[in-house]
Amino acid sequence: MSQQILAEPDVATAPRGLWAGLQDYVGHVRSINRNARCYLLGSFLMGVNFEIFQLLLNLYLKELKFGEGDIGLVNAGRAMGMSIMAIPASILFSRFHLRPLLILGVIGFGLFSVLLITTQELWLLMGLSLLAGVSWSLFRVFSGPFYMRNSTPDERTHLFSISFAVLLLAGMAGSAGAGKLVTVLGHLTGDIILGYKYTLVVGVLIGLLAMIPFSLVGAQAPGGRESRVSLTLEQLRNRGGFYFRLTFVNFVIGMGAGLIIPFLNLYFKERFHLAPDVIGLFYLCVSGAMFVGTLAGPLLARRFGLVRTVVFTQLASIPFMLTLSFTYILPVAFVAFVIRGGLMNLNGPISSHLAMELSEEKERTLVNALLLISWTASWMIAVAIGGQLVERYGFTLVLNIASGLYVCASIMYFRFFRHIERRKDGGAGWYISEGDA
């Protein structure tokens, strides 16, 4: 792996101040090629659909008198589907043109999402959630390698951050309207459950529009070095340690997230008795904080390095997680919810970018799939456990356990990767040296 420069080439030419930073972002956005722009637009539309379901499905199931344990099993089904499909999706990416695969994923996710609201049988809900996860994984596995294929080294930190920011904007759009629409439609129909169903269908229709930009993605053939995804014994001997470090830390973080993140909408509903439109407003605010944090990510990474930015922001989120755990004061919980979300999710695109930079070209799709498997497998376990724990013991215990897992993951991440990045002479930035991974 060749040396990768991760920071500005010269202190004198580095962006100064907020305005200069915004100009820097605008310049990088303009440099994004047509394929990446189409993918970003499709991601936005899919993200709106995903966010509406993320926000409302648990609340909808709660209205149907499902307990947190059963709701956790439904969420675990989606994570299981993503885990099952991760490696097959990476093989598809490496051997076939991307456009029809993306369109297939859009149609599948929309179809199974609609079917989810047509049944109240738990086993059917779990099965349909699993199939929706299978469809969603096509889009998620492809994104990292696709952005690497369609960008230059100078653009990548910004492109990964912009891609994450696009999903956050989608979250803001979905959160802004979904909760209010449920309330309005519930009043119009006289049935809050119909309000949930019709709003979820609106989300699906928005998601299906992603077929338009995805159909405009250039029909690139897989790159020569990406033509096969494999995991041989020799590869395991040479790169197994690297794969383990990446996936194990990701698994631990995913366990912490899976225990509580899917239930935070229920946290506000149960602890503070909030209506769907107010919860939607809260999620809009946290998406806004995450969006600002994502834009700040590359600036922090240039100054402190990728690894340290990930670790510091994760640790900084812990006090706010503990505040959520113990407070029963709504304004305090709201502030902690927003700040925690902004800090914890700031590092998502940075850690994804670092994983891609540390990977050889021929293994990037495999690494992306392994990361997805470790994340979704941890969610599959943690969501099921978290639902049972919330139902039996409430939210405080689960939030405390999740905080402990975040601390452990942060320490491991720093120990595993702190030597990978090195300062350039004169402290003008950071680089990854050959062989450090």
Side-chain angles (χ1 to χ4, degrees):
M1 182 177 60
S2 60
Q3 187 183 78
Q4 297 289 340
I5 304 300
L6 299 178
E8 66 273 23
D10 191 283
V11 175
T13 60
R16 301 295 185 192
L18 178 60
W19 178 246
L22 291 173
Q23 288 180 313
D24 181 52
Y25 265 97
V26 171
H28 281 89
V29 170
R30 288 176 177 172
S31 69
I32 295 173
N33 69 27
R34 180 177 177 274
N35 271 352
R37 290 180 186 223
C38 290
Y39 202 100
L40 289 169
L41 179 55
S43 299
F44 174 81
L45 295 168
M46 285 283 284
V48 172
N49 183 16
F50 186 84
E51 180 62 26
I52 290 175
F53 268 78
Q54 187 86 346
L55 174 65
L56 298 182
L57 184 60
N58 289 358
L59 301 175
Y60 164 71
L61 294 175
K62 192 68 177 176
E63 287 291 336
L64 293 176
K65 308 305 180 184
F66 284 92
E68 284 84 359
D70 289 341
I71 293 172
L73 292 175
V74 175
N75 281 274
R78 182 172 59 191
M80 181 183 292
M82 295 175 68
S83 299
I84 290 171
M85 193 60 189
I87 292 294
S90 68
I91 295 173
L92 291 172
F93 179 84
S94 69
R95 300 188 182 187
F96 297 97
H97 290 299
L98 185 62
R99 185 191 301 160
L101 297 175
L102 288 171
I103 293 174
L104 179 64
V106 172
I107 294 173
F109 188 70
L111 173 64
F112 298 125
S113 296
V114 167
L115 292 176
L116 267 171
I117 58 176
T118 64
T119 181
Q120 296 185 31
E121 294 290 337
L122 179 61
W123 67 272
L124 271 177
L125 288 168
M126 292 172 61
L128 291 168
S129 184
L130 183 148
L131 293 172
V134 166
S135 303
W136 180 257
S137 69
L138 291 176
F139 160 70
R140 294 304 295 154
V141 170
F142 298 159
S143 59
F146 176 85
Y147 291 135
M148 293 296 289
R149 185 191 288 177
N150 286 273
S151 63
T152 65
D154 289 340
E155 298 169 355
R156 282 174 188 156
T157 301
H158 285 80
L159 180 55
F160 273 83
S161 290
I162 290 167
S163 70
F164 198 72
V166 163
L167 289 177
L168 294 176
L169 284 174
M172 292 171 68
S175 300
K180 186 65 176 177
L181 189 58
V182 168
T183 303
V184 170
L185 292 176
H187 284 311
L188 289 176
T189 61
D191 187 345
I192 192 65
I193 291 176
L194 283 180
Y196 277 110
K197 285 186 174 183
Y198 292 155
T199 304
L200 291 169
V201 170
V202 169
V204 169
L205 294 176
I206 294 171
L208 289 175
L209 292 175
M211 288 189 291
I212 298 172
F214 282 154
S215 69
L216 300 176
V217 171
Q220 294 173 295
R225 299 188 67 189
E226 298 173 322
S227 58
R228 292 293 182 269
V229 174
S230 61
L231 185 60
T232 64
L233 288 176
E234 181 181 1
Q235 192 175 353
L236 278 175
R237 283 195 297 269
N238 295 333
R239 302 287 285 168
F242 167 61
Y243 298 155
F244 172 79
R245 291 194 298 273
L246 275 180
T247 55
F248 185 67
V249 173
N250 206 46
F251 182 87
V252 176
I253 295 174
M255 284 292 292
L259 279 174
I260 192 59
I261 301 304
F263 304 106
L264 284 176
N265 48 6
L266 294 177
Y267 164 86
F268 285 108
K269 178 180 175 63
E270 298 295 311
R271 181 171 286 192
F272 299 103
H273 311 291
L274 298 182
D277 53 342
V278 179
I279 296 174
L281 178 61
F282 280 21
Y283 272 76
L284 170 64
C285 293
V286 81
S287 295
M290 291 160 63
F291 178 75
V292 172
T294 298
L295 295 182
L299 303 179
L300 293 174
R302 278 203 295 266
R303 182 173 179 84
F304 301 109
L306 297 175
V307 175
R308 286 157 183 81
T309 298
V310 169
V311 172
F312 294 161
T313 53
Q314 284 182 176
L315 290 176
S317 73
I318 301 302
F320 301 99
M321 192 81 151
L322 294 174
T323 300
L324 282 172
S325 172
F326 293 107
T327 189
Y328 283 79
I329 302 171
L330 180 58
V332 173
F334 168 72
V335 171
F337 177 60
V338 171
I339 297 176
R340 187 222 68 88
L343 287 170
M344 193 64 199
N345 290 278
L346 180 152
N347 56 63
I350 297 174
S351 58
S352 296
H353 173 214
L354 180 62
M356 291 295 99
E357 290 288 4
L358 293 174
S359 304
E360 299 172 2
E361 183 181 359
K362 63 184 178 182
E363 66 181 357
R364 282 173 183 160
T365 309
L366 173 65
V367 168
N368 207 46
L370 291 174
L371 288 172
L372 182 62
I373 289 172
S374 63
W375 182 263
T376 55
S378 66
W379 271 59
M380 179 179 65
I381 298 168
V383 169
I385 295 173
Q388 297 292 333
L389 290 175
V390 168
E391 190 169 352
R392 294 183 183 184
Y393 304 108
F395 293 96
T396 298
L397 174 65
V398 180
L399 280 160
N400 291 342
I401 295 173
S403 298
L405 289 170
Y406 282 158
V407 171
C408 292
S410 300
I411 294 171
M412 285 188 292
Y413 196 90
F414 186 71
R415 287 180 60 86
F416 288 162
F417 299 113
R418 69 185 187 278
H419 298 305
I420 284 173
E421 285 183 296
R422 300 179 183 177
R423 277 193 180 276
K424 292 178 61 181
D425 293 340
W430 300 81
Y431 67 88
I432 295 175
S433 293
E434 184 175 356
D436 280 344

